[in-house]
Amino acid sequence: MTRPRAHEKTIRAVERSASRLTTASYRHMDEHLPWYAQLTAQERSWVGLVVQAGFASFVEWYLNGGEAHNSATAVFAAAPRALTRAITLNHTLDLLRTVVDVVEDSIPELATTPRDEEALREALLRYSRDIAFAAAQVYATAAEARGAWDARLESLIVDAVLRGEDDQDVVGRATALGWGDVEHVTVLMGAAPQDNEALAVDRLRTTAARAGVEALVAVQGRRLVAVLGGTPQLDGLASALTEHFGPGPVVLGPTVAHIAAAARSARQAEAGLRAAPAWPDAPRPVVSGELLPERVLSGDDQARGWLVEQVYQPLAEASGGSLARTAEAYLASGRHLEATARALFVHPNTVRYRLGRIAQVSGYDLTDAREAYVVQTAIAVARLAEAGHGHPRPL
């Protein structure tokens, strides 16, 4: 079907009016598009390139009978890729509508006959449809490219955190992904699922986003690692995230102030993951600080230092050392109150009192089997250090 076409005089009139229509478009954008006034001079120049290319492309498209489909796409080739970051797709469509409105309002002046006016209106309608699809394609391509780049950058950041690379390098890369002001950062680590790693990564991100938590997620070897931001209290979120990991333990590192310190959280999460098999009944997820005895057995000097400095030494220094002696006697008796009292030549009520003080000073309740195991390990590590068989390194 042959579509009506304007007379050559009308086409030439459109070509000659390009400068005037471009100026009219700028004026219309200033008056009706609030976001346009907020653009920088450089961004405005990019918009100007698109507007000018749009008029030239329309004339070319029409002269070719509306069959040069790449003419619409060529409109956006005039501007750099940064344009898609400076203005959104909705803003671009506003821009295109403005240009179409300006041209449509000028059609009565440009057309030499009623038939030409009808042909121009139909051509403008078809061209506006083509260029709208072209804009959507440009933004979709840009989004896909940004997504691929963001994924690579995200993986690099997670790898840098695990390697403990220079803090400034990590911060610089993370800032590019919007992590410049993110606080309360925690590393969650476990086995990667064996079936569909990409799906697990996407689901983990989605779960974190729904909870209002930032997440950098990557698969490193056989491990799935999530660097979580904005996590002063994880509460039930950690359990929800754990569902996206593979079988086996999932370990939560300590929360640090910001991404620059994330390597410390990652080191402890990694140490906990390495030691976790020694505690088959550990919760899932388990905090790395709850795996201190197992970490000591796996050769973790930081865990040894923490147990000596934070558990044993406070007991040894409190009440003239009576708390440390009571803890040793209580554990040696199999946590038997009367036997401990006889061993120390004190009343059972004194033992009860000291057990309460031990919990206050060390943070561990010796009447709980697991917490008693932590204190017993701390005492053993301290004794080895005193005998010169170990040199605990503090966290």
Side-chain angles (χ1 to χ4, degrees):
M1 176 181 176
T2 303
R3 294 182 173 86
R5 177 168 171 168
H7 191 275
E8 289 297 326
K9 290 179 60 177
T10 300
I11 297 298
R12 300 297 169 239
V14 172
E15 288 182 296
R16 288 193 300 270
S17 64
S19 177
R20 177 174 61 82
L21 293 177
T22 300
T23 303
S25 297
Y26 292 156
R27 186 167 56 251
H28 193 283
M29 286 187 288
D30 272 325
E31 294 174 354
H32 297 91
L33 302 179
W35 57 265
Y36 179 73
Q38 299 174 4
L39 297 180
T40 64
Q42 185 180 50
E43 291 165 350
R44 285 187 174 218
S45 70
W46 294 341
V47 170
L49 290 174
V50 172
V51 172
Q52 294 171 24
F55 284 118
S57 177
F58 172 67
V59 174
E60 178 188 355
W61 176 87
Y62 189 72
L63 287 174
N64 288 323
E67 299 301 330
H69 297 294
N70 59 345
S71 294
T73 305
V75 170
F76 299 96
R81 292 183 180 180
L83 177 67
T84 60
R85 295 192 294 270
I87 63 175
T88 66
L89 175 58
N90 285 335
H91 289 167
T92 301
L93 295 178
D94 287 342
L95 169 65
L96 297 177
R97 276 192 292 267
T98 294
V99 174
V100 169
D101 289 345
V102 169
V103 175
E104 189 172 22
D105 290 343
S106 301
I107 284 178
E109 304 173 18
L110 301 173
T112 56
T113 67
R115 181 179 176 279
D116 283 0
E117 185 174 337
E118 178 186 351
L120 276 176
R121 290 188 187 280
E122 181 180 340
L124 185 62
L125 178 63
R126 290 176 51 226
Y127 181 73
S128 63
R129 178 198 63 190
D130 285 359
I131 203 168
F133 278 117
Q137 181 180 355
V138 167
Y139 274 81
T141 302
E144 185 177 353
R146 279 199 303 272
W149 168 248
D150 287 353
R152 288 194 295 271
L153 183 58
E154 184 174 4
S155 182
L156 286 173
I157 295 170
V158 173
D159 184 67
V161 167
L162 293 179
R163 291 174 180 272
E165 293 184 4
D166 182 79
D167 293 348
Q168 294 307 313
D169 289 342
V170 175
V171 171
R173 293 171 182 171
T175 300
L177 291 181
W179 275 64
D181 298 323
V182 175
E183 299 178 341
H184 307 297
V185 175
T186 310
V187 174
L188 185 66
M189 187 180 302
Q194 300 174 356
D195 49 357
N196 194 329
E197 295 178 354
L199 181 61
V201 168
D202 289 341
R203 287 178 173 174
L204 197 154
R205 283 200 196 97
T206 300
T207 302
R210 288 175 179 170
V213 171
E214 300 288 343
L216 298 172
V217 188
V219 175
Q220 299 284 332
R222 297 181 179 179
R223 298 175 302 180
L224 177 59
V225 182
V227 180
L228 309 173
T231 58
Q233 295 293 331
L234 282 172
D235 297 328
L237 175 61
S239 297
L241 295 176
T242 298
E243 297 177 2
H244 307 303
F245 285 79
V250 177
V251 181
L252 196 65
T255 298
V256 295
H258 39 65
I259 189 69
R264 183 163 65 87
S265 181
R267 281 196 300 270
Q268 295 197 47
E270 189 171 17
L273 188 63
R274 188 168 53 246
W279 185 15
D281 296 328
R284 192 174 187 265
V286 59
V287 177
S288 61
E290 296 179 2
L291 288 160
L292 291 172
E294 290 75 19
R295 288 169 57 184
V296 168
L297 292 174
S298 70
D300 185 351
D301 284 345
Q302 287 189 332
R304 291 160 60 90
W306 199 95
L307 285 174
V308 171
E309 292 189 0
Q310 303 299 322
V311 179
Y312 177 75
Q313 286 183 357
L315 294 178
E317 294 169 359
S319 303
S322 63
L323 297 186
R325 290 191 295 272
T326 300
E328 290 185 73
Y330 184 71
L331 293 169
S333 71
R335 296 190 294 131
H336 192 279
L337 190 69
E338 284 73 14
T340 303
R342 289 194 297 270
L344 295 175
F345 302 102
V346 297
H347 194 277
N349 285 342
T350 301
V351 176
R352 289 191 183 91
Y353 169 77
R354 290 180 181 177
L355 290 177
R357 287 281 296 138
I358 289 170
Q360 291 176 349
V361 171
S362 70
Y364 290 93
D365 181 1
L366 295 188
T367 63
D368 178 88
R370 175 66 192 178
E371 296 190 20
Y373 177 49
V374 174
V375 176
Q376 190 164 24
T377 304
I379 293 172
V381 168
R383 294 297 185 218
L384 286 172
E386 290 172 356
H389 296 299
H391 303 281
R393 181 159 53 91
L395 291 172

